[in-house]
Amino acid sequence: MALITNYWSLDGIIILTILFIIVYLYMTRNFKYWEKRGVFQIKPTPFVGNFMECLLLKKAPSYYLKELYDQAKSEAYLGFYIFDKPFLLLRDPEIIKSVMIKDFNTFFDRYASSDPNDRMGYANLFRIKNPAWKIVRTKLTPFFTSGRMKKMFGLMLECGKHLDEYLNSLKLDGKGLIIDVKDISSKLTMDIISSTAFGLDVNAFKDPNTDFRKYGKMILQTNYIRGWAILGFFFLPNLVRLFKLTMFGKDTTMYLRKLFWETITRRMNSGERRYDLIDILIELKKNNSDEEIEGFKFDGDDLMAQAASFFTAGFDSSAVPAAFALYELALQPDIQSKLREEIHEALNNSDGNVTYDMLISSLPYMDMVIAEALRKYPPLGFLNRKAMQTYKIPNSNLVLEKGTPVYIPMLGLHYDPQYFPDPEKFDPERFSEENKRNIPSCVYFPFGGGPHACIGNRFGHLLIKLILTKLLNECEVTPCEKTLIPIKIEPLISTTTPLNGVMYLTLRKVNTVD
C-alpha cells in the first residue's frame, strides 16, 4: 500500500509537488525585499532571480549590469536578485563616491571572494579582506612607484626587442598580413610580466608554447566550466566555498608554486637584485616572516599569491585594452595617423629611442586614446563592495543591512550620454585637458577608484603605451575580412575581452604600395 494514496506513482507526484512548493516558497521569500524598502527593483524570476542570462553564460556580467543601469534612468539606485539574494546597484555618482571614498570604512571589503582555503586565490591583493588587505597593499606599493618602474623599464625594453624581431620576421610590406593583435599584445605583456615580476626571459614570440604562457592562458580560458567558476568568484562566493573552487586550478597552482619558490630560492642564494616583484617579496619574507594578520602570513602560498595575482592581472589587463585601442584606431585612420605623428615626433625628440620619460610625458594624445579605449572597454566593467555594518544611504531613507552586496556598473556610467555624449563613438577628444575637467567625479574609473583602486594602474598604462608605440611607429592597422564590426564581447568570461579571445586586423608597414 502506498504512503498517501493507493498508488505509489500518485504518491510520488504529490511528494514532488509538495517539495517543489516548499523550494519555490523558500527561493522567492526575499523577492519583495527591495520593494518593501521603497527601492525600484527589477522583477525577478523564481529560482534564478535576475541573473538567468549570466548563469547560462549568454551575456557578460558587465553588459548585464549596464542593461540594469539603463532600465532605471530616473533612479539613484535599483535592486536586483541573484538566486534569492538581494543586491543593490548604484547609479548616482555622489552615492558611488560615498561608497568608494567618503565612507570607505563601511565598504572596505569587496563582495567578490575565493575560498579561504585556496590561499593563492584568496590571499592575493584583489580578494584578501581587511585588515590584512591594508597592510599587504601598503607593503606592495613600493613596487609600483615611478622610481621603481623607471628602474624596471630597461627590462621592458629588452622584451620590446622580442616584438621588434618578430615584426621584422613577418612580411608586412604591400598588403601586409592578417594578425591577431590581441595575441601580439598578450605575448609582449607576458614577456614583460615574466621579466619584471619573476626575473625570467620567456620570449613568447620565439616560443609561443612556453609553459609560462600556456598556464597563463589556462587561467583565462573561455569554456563553460571556467566561466561558471569565475562568475562564482565575482557574484556567488558562498557557492565557491561550498564547492571548494580554486581560482587558478590545480595544475596552474602547482606550476606557479614551483616556479615561484624556485625563483625566490635562487635569488636569495645568489643575492642578485633586479628591482622586480621577487625582490619586494623577498624583503617581505625576511622582514615580516613572524607577522600574522588574521591568518595571513608573509610566507608560503600567502606570499606567492601576490606574485600569482600580478601574473594573472598583468596577462590581460594591459594586453586587451591595447588590442581594443588598435581595433578602434583601425576603424578611424585619421585618429591613427594623428597618433602616429605624435609617436614620430616624440621619438625624434629622444634621438629615436623609446625611453621611460618619453612614454610618460611626451605622448598626451596617446593618453587620450588610451583613456577613451578604457572608457569603452574597461578590463572589468563593474566594481563590487559589501556593507560591513548597517549603513544609511546619504540623502535618502534607505538603510542597508550589514552584509548587503553593492555593485557599481562602471560600464553603464561610461556609456551614459549624460556624461559622455554619443557614447558609442570613439572620441579621444573627450579626454583633452580642457574636456576632461568637465567629466563629473566618479563616473569614469576604468581601474577602480578610492583606496581599492588598482595598485598597478600606472604600470598597466606604461605597458599599453609601449605596445602602441612599438606597433604604430612603423606599421598601420586596418580592418580585414575577419574583423568583427561591430565588435562582439566574449560572454564566457567576466572580464571584458573580444569574442573567442581574438582580435583580427591587417598589420602592414606604413607607406608601402599594395
Side-chain angles (χ1 to χ4, degrees), residues 358-375:
M358 184 205 96
L359 290 183
I360 293 297
S361 59
S362 299
L363 298 168
Y365 191 67
M366 183 180 287
D367 286 329
M368 293 160 59
V369 168
I370 293 172
E372 177 68 345
L374 289 169
R375 179 192 69 83

mmCIF file with all atom_site columns, all heavy atoms in Angstrom, residues 358-375:
data_model
loop_
_atom_site.group_PDB
_atom_site.id
_atom_site.type_symbol
_atom_site.label_atom_id
_atom_site.label_alt_id
_atom_site.label_comp_id
_atom_site.label_asym_id
_atom_site.label_entity_id
_atom_site.label_seq_id
_atom_site.pdbx_PDB_ins_code
_atom_site.Cartn_x
_atom_site.Cartn_y
_atom_site.Cartn_z
_atom_site.occupancy
_atom_site.B_iso_or_equiv
_atom_site.pdbx_formal_charge
_atom_site.auth_seq_id
_atom_site.auth_comp_id
_atom_site.auth_asym_id
_atom_site.auth_atom_id
_atom_site.pdbx_PDB_model_num
ATOM 1   N N   . MET A 1 358 ? 59.933 59.583 -22.189 1.00 0.00 ? 358 MET A N   1
ATOM 2   C CA  . MET A 1 358 ? 59.187 59.850 -23.415 1.00 0.00 ? 358 MET A CA  1
ATOM 3   C C   . MET A 1 358 ? 57.772 59.290 -23.320 1.00 0.00 ? 358 MET A C   1
ATOM 4   O O   . MET A 1 358 ? 56.793 59.970 -23.641 1.00 0.00 ? 358 MET A O   1
ATOM 5   C CB  . MET A 1 358 ? 59.904 59.222 -24.613 1.00 0.00 ? 358 MET A CB  1
ATOM 6   C CG  . MET A 1 358 ? 59.255 59.521 -25.957 1.00 0.00 ? 358 MET A CG  1
ATOM 7   S SD  . MET A 1 358 ? 59.646 58.262 -27.191 1.00 0.00 ? 358 MET A SD  1
ATOM 8   C CE  . MET A 1 358 ? 58.213 57.205 -27.073 1.00 0.00 ? 358 MET A CE  1
ATOM 9   N N   . LEU A 1 359 ? 57.650 58.043 -22.880 1.00 0.00 ? 359 LEU A N   1
ATOM 10  C CA  . LEU A 1 359 ? 56.325 57.425 -22.793 1.00 0.00 ? 359 LEU A CA  1
ATOM 11  C C   . LEU A 1 359 ? 55.453 58.118 -21.754 1.00 0.00 ? 359 LEU A C   1
ATOM 12  O O   . LEU A 1 359 ? 54.245 58.266 -21.946 1.00 0.00 ? 359 LEU A O   1
ATOM 13  C CB  . LEU A 1 359 ? 56.455 55.940 -22.448 1.00 0.00 ? 359 LEU A CB  1
ATOM 14  C CG  . LEU A 1 359 ? 57.033 55.008 -23.519 1.00 0.00 ? 359 LEU A CG  1
ATOM 15  C CD1 . LEU A 1 359 ? 57.021 53.566 -23.037 1.00 0.00 ? 359 LEU A CD1 1
ATOM 16  C CD2 . LEU A 1 359 ? 56.261 55.125 -24.833 1.00 0.00 ? 359 LEU A CD2 1
ATOM 17  N N   . ILE A 1 360 ? 56.053 58.550 -20.670 1.00 0.00 ? 360 ILE A N   1
ATOM 18  C CA  . ILE A 1 360 ? 55.278 59.145 -19.581 1.00 0.00 ? 360 ILE A CA  1
ATOM 19  C C   . ILE A 1 360 ? 54.810 60.560 -19.906 1.00 0.00 ? 360 ILE A C   1
ATOM 20  O O   . ILE A 1 360 ? 53.655 60.919 -19.657 1.00 0.00 ? 360 ILE A O   1
ATOM 21  C CB  . ILE A 1 360 ? 56.093 59.140 -18.271 1.00 0.00 ? 360 ILE A CB  1
ATOM 22  C CG1 . ILE A 1 360 ? 56.314 57.698 -17.790 1.00 0.00 ? 360 ILE A CG1 1
ATOM 23  C CG2 . ILE A 1 360 ? 55.403 59.965 -17.187 1.00 0.00 ? 360 ILE A CG2 1
ATOM 24  C CD1 . ILE A 1 360 ? 55.042 56.958 -17.449 1.00 0.00 ? 360 ILE A CD1 1
ATOM 25  N N   . SER A 1 361 ? 55.691 61.371 -20.515 1.00 0.00 ? 361 SER A N   1
ATOM 26  C CA  . SER A 1 361 ? 55.385 62.806 -20.601 1.00 0.00 ? 361 SER A CA  1
ATOM 27  C C   . SER A 1 361 ? 55.280 63.370 -22.006 1.00 0.00 ? 361 SER A C   1
ATOM 28  O O   . SER A 1 361 ? 54.878 64.530 -22.161 1.00 0.00 ? 361 SER A O   1
ATOM 29  C CB  . SER A 1 361 ? 56.455 63.600 -19.828 1.00 0.00 ? 361 SER A CB  1
ATOM 30  O OG  . SER A 1 361 ? 57.751 63.343 -20.360 1.00 0.00 ? 361 SER A OG  1
ATOM 31  N N   . SER A 1 362 ? 55.614 62.595 -23.053 1.00 0.00 ? 362 SER A N   1
ATOM 32  C CA  . SER A 1 362 ? 55.659 63.168 -24.401 1.00 0.00 ? 362 SER A CA  1
ATOM 33  C C   . SER A 1 362 ? 54.568 62.651 -25.329 1.00 0.00 ? 362 SER A C   1
ATOM 34  O O   . SER A 1 362 ? 54.638 62.890 -26.536 1.00 0.00 ? 362 SER A O   1
ATOM 35  C CB  . SER A 1 362 ? 57.042 62.898 -25.032 1.00 0.00 ? 362 SER A CB  1
ATOM 36  O OG  . SER A 1 362 ? 58.063 63.498 -24.277 1.00 0.00 ? 362 SER A OG  1
ATOM 37  N N   . LEU A 1 363 ? 53.592 61.972 -24.799 1.00 0.00 ? 363 LEU A N   1
ATOM 38  C CA  . LEU A 1 363 ? 52.548 61.386 -25.649 1.00 0.00 ? 363 LEU A CA  1
ATOM 39  C C   . LEU A 1 363 ? 51.153 61.718 -25.118 1.00 0.00 ? 363 LEU A C   1
ATOM 40  O O   . LEU A 1 363 ? 50.361 60.823 -24.785 1.00 0.00 ? 363 LEU A O   1
ATOM 41  C CB  . LEU A 1 363 ? 52.734 59.862 -25.739 1.00 0.00 ? 363 LEU A CB  1
ATOM 42  C CG  . LEU A 1 363 ? 54.043 59.373 -26.377 1.00 0.00 ? 363 LEU A CG  1
ATOM 43  C CD1 . LEU A 1 363 ? 54.227 57.883 -26.146 1.00 0.00 ? 363 LEU A CD1 1
ATOM 44  C CD2 . LEU A 1 363 ? 54.068 59.689 -27.869 1.00 0.00 ? 363 LEU A CD2 1
ATOM 45  N N   . PRO A 1 364 ? 50.791 62.997 -25.046 1.00 0.00 ? 364 PRO A N   1
ATOM 46  C CA  . PRO A 1 364 ? 49.477 63.363 -24.490 1.00 0.00 ? 364 PRO A CA  1
ATOM 47  C C   . PRO A 1 364 ? 48.305 62.845 -25.314 1.00 0.00 ? 364 PRO A C   1
ATOM 48  O O   . PRO A 1 364 ? 47.267 62.494 -24.745 1.00 0.00 ? 364 PRO A O   1
ATOM 49  C CB  . PRO A 1 364 ? 49.517 64.895 -24.470 1.00 0.00 ? 364 PRO A CB  1
ATOM 50  C CG  . PRO A 1 364 ? 50.561 65.276 -25.479 1.00 0.00 ? 364 PRO A CG  1
ATOM 51  C CD  . PRO A 1 364 ? 51.584 64.189 -25.420 1.00 0.00 ? 364 PRO A CD  1
ATOM 52  N N   . TYR A 1 365 ? 48.452 62.810 -26.640 1.00 0.00 ? 365 TYR A N   1
ATOM 53  C CA  . TYR A 1 365 ? 47.337 62.305 -27.448 1.00 0.00 ? 365 TYR A CA  1
ATOM 54  C C   . TYR A 1 365 ? 47.164 60.805 -27.250 1.00 0.00 ? 365 TYR A C   1
ATOM 55  O O   . TYR A 1 365 ? 46.031 60.305 -27.242 1.00 0.00 ? 365 TYR A O   1
ATOM 56  C CB  . TYR A 1 365 ? 47.556 62.627 -28.929 1.00 0.00 ? 365 TYR A CB  1
ATOM 57  C CG  . TYR A 1 365 ? 46.317 62.367 -29.769 1.00 0.00 ? 365 TYR A CG  1
ATOM 58  C CD1 . TYR A 1 365 ? 45.168 63.146 -29.601 1.00 0.00 ? 365 TYR A CD1 1
ATOM 59  C CD2 . TYR A 1 365 ? 46.278 61.341 -30.709 1.00 0.00 ? 365 TYR A CD2 1
ATOM 60  C CE1 . TYR A 1 365 ? 44.022 62.909 -30.346 1.00 0.00 ? 365 TYR A CE1 1
ATOM 61  C CE2 . TYR A 1 365 ? 45.133 61.102 -31.467 1.00 0.00 ? 365 TYR A CE2 1
ATOM 62  C CZ  . TYR A 1 365 ? 44.008 61.890 -31.280 1.00 0.00 ? 365 TYR A CZ  1
ATOM 63  O OH  . TYR A 1 365 ? 42.871 61.659 -32.024 1.00 0.00 ? 365 TYR A OH  1
ATOM 64  N N   . MET A 1 366 ? 48.274 60.086 -27.063 1.00 0.00 ? 366 MET A N   1
ATOM 65  C CA  . MET A 1 366 ? 48.158 58.657 -26.760 1.00 0.00 ? 366 MET A CA  1
ATOM 66  C C   . MET A 1 366 ? 47.434 58.459 -25.438 1.00 0.00 ? 366 MET A C   1
ATOM 67  O O   . MET A 1 366 ? 46.624 57.528 -25.292 1.00 0.00 ? 366 MET A O   1
ATOM 68  C CB  . MET A 1 366 ? 49.535 57.990 -26.710 1.00 0.00 ? 366 MET A CB  1
ATOM 69  C CG  . MET A 1 366 ? 49.450 56.481 -26.467 1.00 0.00 ? 366 MET A CG  1
ATOM 70  S SD  . MET A 1 366 ? 51.047 55.634 -26.404 1.00 0.00 ? 366 MET A SD  1
ATOM 71  C CE  . MET A 1 366 ? 51.522 55.670 -28.135 1.00 0.00 ? 366 MET A CE  1
ATOM 72  N N   . ASP A 1 367 ? 47.698 59.320 -24.458 1.00 0.00 ? 367 ASP A N   1
ATOM 73  C CA  . ASP A 1 367 ? 46.961 59.247 -23.191 1.00 0.00 ? 367 ASP A CA  1
ATOM 74  C C   . ASP A 1 367 ? 45.458 59.365 -23.442 1.00 0.00 ? 367 ASP A C   1
ATOM 75  O O   . ASP A 1 367 ? 44.653 58.647 -22.825 1.00 0.00 ? 367 ASP A O   1
ATOM 76  C CB  . ASP A 1 367 ? 47.411 60.363 -22.248 1.00 0.00 ? 367 ASP A CB  1
ATOM 77  C CG  . ASP A 1 367 ? 48.785 60.110 -21.658 1.00 0.00 ? 367 ASP A CG  1
ATOM 78  O OD1 . ASP A 1 367 ? 49.148 58.942 -21.471 1.00 0.00 ? 367 ASP A OD1 1
ATOM 79  O OD2 . ASP A 1 367 ? 49.494 61.098 -21.402 1.00 0.00 ? 367 ASP A OD2 1
ATOM 80  N N   . MET A 1 368 ? 45.074 60.258 -24.339 1.00 0.00 ? 368 MET A N   1
ATOM 81  C CA  . MET A 1 368 ? 43.660 60.462 -24.658 1.00 0.00 ? 368 MET A CA  1
ATOM 82  C C   . MET A 1 368 ? 43.083 59.224 -25.352 1.00 0.00 ? 368 MET A C   1
ATOM 83  O O   . MET A 1 368 ? 41.953 58.807 -25.063 1.00 0.00 ? 368 MET A O   1
ATOM 84  C CB  . MET A 1 368 ? 43.506 61.707 -25.536 1.00 0.00 ? 368 MET A CB  1
ATOM 85  C CG  . MET A 1 368 ? 43.859 63.004 -24.825 1.00 0.00 ? 368 MET A CG  1
ATOM 86  S SD  . MET A 1 368 ? 44.240 64.392 -25.957 1.00 0.00 ? 368 MET A SD  1
ATOM 87  C CE  . MET A 1 368 ? 42.714 64.501 -26.897 1.00 0.00 ? 368 MET A CE  1
ATOM 88  N N   . VAL A 1 369 ? 43.836 58.659 -26.280 1.00 0.00 ? 369 VAL A N   1
ATOM 89  C CA  . VAL A 1 369 ? 43.378 57.455 -26.994 1.00 0.00 ? 369 VAL A CA  1
ATOM 90  C C   . VAL A 1 369 ? 43.179 56.297 -26.024 1.00 0.00 ? 369 VAL A C   1
ATOM 91  O O   . VAL A 1 369 ? 42.161 55.595 -26.061 1.00 0.00 ? 369 VAL A O   1
ATOM 92  C CB  . VAL A 1 369 ? 44.389 57.071 -28.098 1.00 0.00 ? 369 VAL A CB  1
ATOM 93  C CG1 . VAL A 1 369 ? 44.087 55.674 -28.641 1.00 0.00 ? 369 VAL A CG1 1
ATOM 94  C CG2 . VAL A 1 369 ? 44.363 58.095 -29.228 1.00 0.00 ? 369 VAL A CG2 1
ATOM 95  N N   . ILE A 1 370 ? 44.139 56.113 -25.129 1.00 0.00 ? 370 ILE A N   1
ATOM 96  C CA  . ILE A 1 370 ? 44.041 55.017 -24.156 1.00 0.00 ? 370 ILE A CA  1
ATOM 97  C C   . ILE A 1 370 ? 42.866 55.252 -23.209 1.00 0.00 ? 370 ILE A C   1
ATOM 98  O O   . ILE A 1 370 ? 42.110 54.318 -22.888 1.00 0.00 ? 370 ILE A O   1
ATOM 99  C CB  . ILE A 1 370 ? 45.361 54.877 -23.376 1.00 0.00 ? 370 ILE A CB  1
ATOM 100 C CG1 . ILE A 1 370 ? 46.479 54.412 -24.314 1.00 0.00 ? 370 ILE A CG1 1
ATOM 101 C CG2 . ILE A 1 370 ? 45.203 53.893 -22.214 1.00 0.00 ? 370 ILE A CG2 1
ATOM 102 C CD1 . ILE A 1 370 ? 47.866 54.436 -23.683 1.00 0.00 ? 370 ILE A CD1 1
ATOM 103 N N   . ALA A 1 371 ? 42.695 56.487 -22.746 1.00 0.00 ? 371 ALA A N   1
ATOM 104 C CA  . ALA A 1 371 ? 41.581 56.799 -21.843 1.00 0.00 ? 371 ALA A CA  1
ATOM 105 C C   . ALA A 1 371 ? 40.241 56.488 -22.504 1.00 0.00 ? 371 ALA A C   1
ATOM 106 O O   . ALA A 1 371 ? 39.330 55.939 -21.865 1.00 0.00 ? 371 ALA A O   1
ATOM 107 C CB  . ALA A 1 371 ? 41.636 58.261 -21.422 1.00 0.00 ? 371 ALA A CB  1
ATOM 108 N N   . GLU A 1 372 ? 40.104 56.808 -23.785 1.00 0.00 ? 372 GLU A N   1
ATOM 109 C CA  . GLU A 1 372 ? 38.849 56.550 -24.488 1.00 0.00 ? 372 GLU A CA  1
ATOM 110 C C   . GLU A 1 372 ? 38.653 55.055 -24.717 1.00 0.00 ? 372 GLU A C   1
ATOM 111 O O   . GLU A 1 372 ? 37.521 54.537 -24.622 1.00 0.00 ? 372 GLU A O   1
ATOM 112 C CB  . GLU A 1 372 ? 38.824 57.315 -25.806 1.00 0.00 ? 372 GLU A CB  1
ATOM 113 C CG  . GLU A 1 372 ? 37.599 57.083 -26.672 1.00 0.00 ? 372 GLU A CG  1
ATOM 114 C CD  . GLU A 1 372 ? 36.298 57.631 -26.099 1.00 0.00 ? 372 GLU A CD  1
ATOM 115 O OE1 . GLU A 1 372 ? 36.247 57.953 -24.885 1.00 0.00 ? 372 GLU A OE1 1
ATOM 116 O OE2 . GLU A 1 372 ? 35.317 57.743 -26.863 1.00 0.00 ? 372 GLU A OE2 1
ATOM 117 N N   . ALA A 1 373 ? 39.733 54.330 -25.015 1.00 0.00 ? 373 ALA A N   1
ATOM 118 C CA  . ALA A 1 373 ? 39.623 52.872 -25.162 1.00 0.00 ? 373 ALA A CA  1
ATOM 119 C C   . ALA A 1 373 ? 39.189 52.231 -23.846 1.00 0.00 ? 373 ALA A C   1
ATOM 120 O O   . ALA A 1 373 ? 38.361 51.312 -23.830 1.00 0.00 ? 373 ALA A O   1
ATOM 121 C CB  . ALA A 1 373 ? 40.953 52.291 -25.628 1.00 0.00 ? 373 ALA A CB  1
ATOM 122 N N   . LEU A 1 374 ? 39.713 52.743 -22.736 1.00 0.00 ? 374 LEU A N   1
ATOM 123 C CA  . LEU A 1 374 ? 39.340 52.203 -21.430 1.00 0.00 ? 374 LEU A CA  1
ATOM 124 C C   . LEU A 1 374 ? 37.916 52.607 -21.040 1.00 0.00 ? 374 LEU A C   1
ATOM 125 O O   . LEU A 1 374 ? 37.267 51.919 -20.251 1.00 0.00 ? 374 LEU A O   1
ATOM 126 C CB  . LEU A 1 374 ? 40.332 52.679 -20.365 1.00 0.00 ? 374 LEU A CB  1
ATOM 127 C CG  . LEU A 1 374 ? 41.734 52.055 -20.453 1.00 0.00 ? 374 LEU A CG  1
ATOM 128 C CD1 . LEU A 1 374 ? 42.692 52.785 -19.526 1.00 0.00 ? 374 LEU A CD1 1
ATOM 129 C CD2 . LEU A 1 374 ? 41.685 50.572 -20.108 1.00 0.00 ? 374 LEU A CD2 1
ATOM 130 N N   . ARG A 1 375 ? 37.444 53.724 -21.567 1.00 0.00 ? 375 ARG A N   1
ATOM 131 C CA  . ARG A 1 375 ? 36.033 54.082 -21.325 1.00 0.00 ? 375 ARG A CA  1
ATOM 132 C C   . ARG A 1 375 ? 35.119 53.064 -21.994 1.00 0.00 ? 375 ARG A C   1
ATOM 133 O O   . ARG A 1 375 ? 34.173 52.563 -21.385 1.00 0.00 ? 375 ARG A O   1
ATOM 134 C CB  . ARG A 1 375 ? 35.727 55.481 -21.853 1.00 0.00 ? 375 ARG A CB  1
ATOM 135 C CG  . ARG A 1 375 ? 34.256 55.896 -21.635 1.00 0.00 ? 375 ARG A CG  1
ATOM 136 C CD  . ARG A 1 375 ? 33.890 57.148 -22.398 1.00 0.00 ? 375 ARG A CD  1
ATOM 137 N NE  . ARG A 1 375 ? 33.867 56.950 -23.845 1.00 0.00 ? 375 ARG A NE  1
ATOM 138 C CZ  . ARG A 1 375 ? 32.824 56.435 -24.513 1.00 0.00 ? 375 ARG A CZ  1
ATOM 139 N NH1 . ARG A 1 375 ? 31.738 56.028 -23.869 1.00 0.00 ? 375 ARG A NH1 1
ATOM 140 N NH2 . ARG A 1 375 ? 32.872 56.316 -25.829 1.00 0.00 ? 375 ARG A NH2 1
#
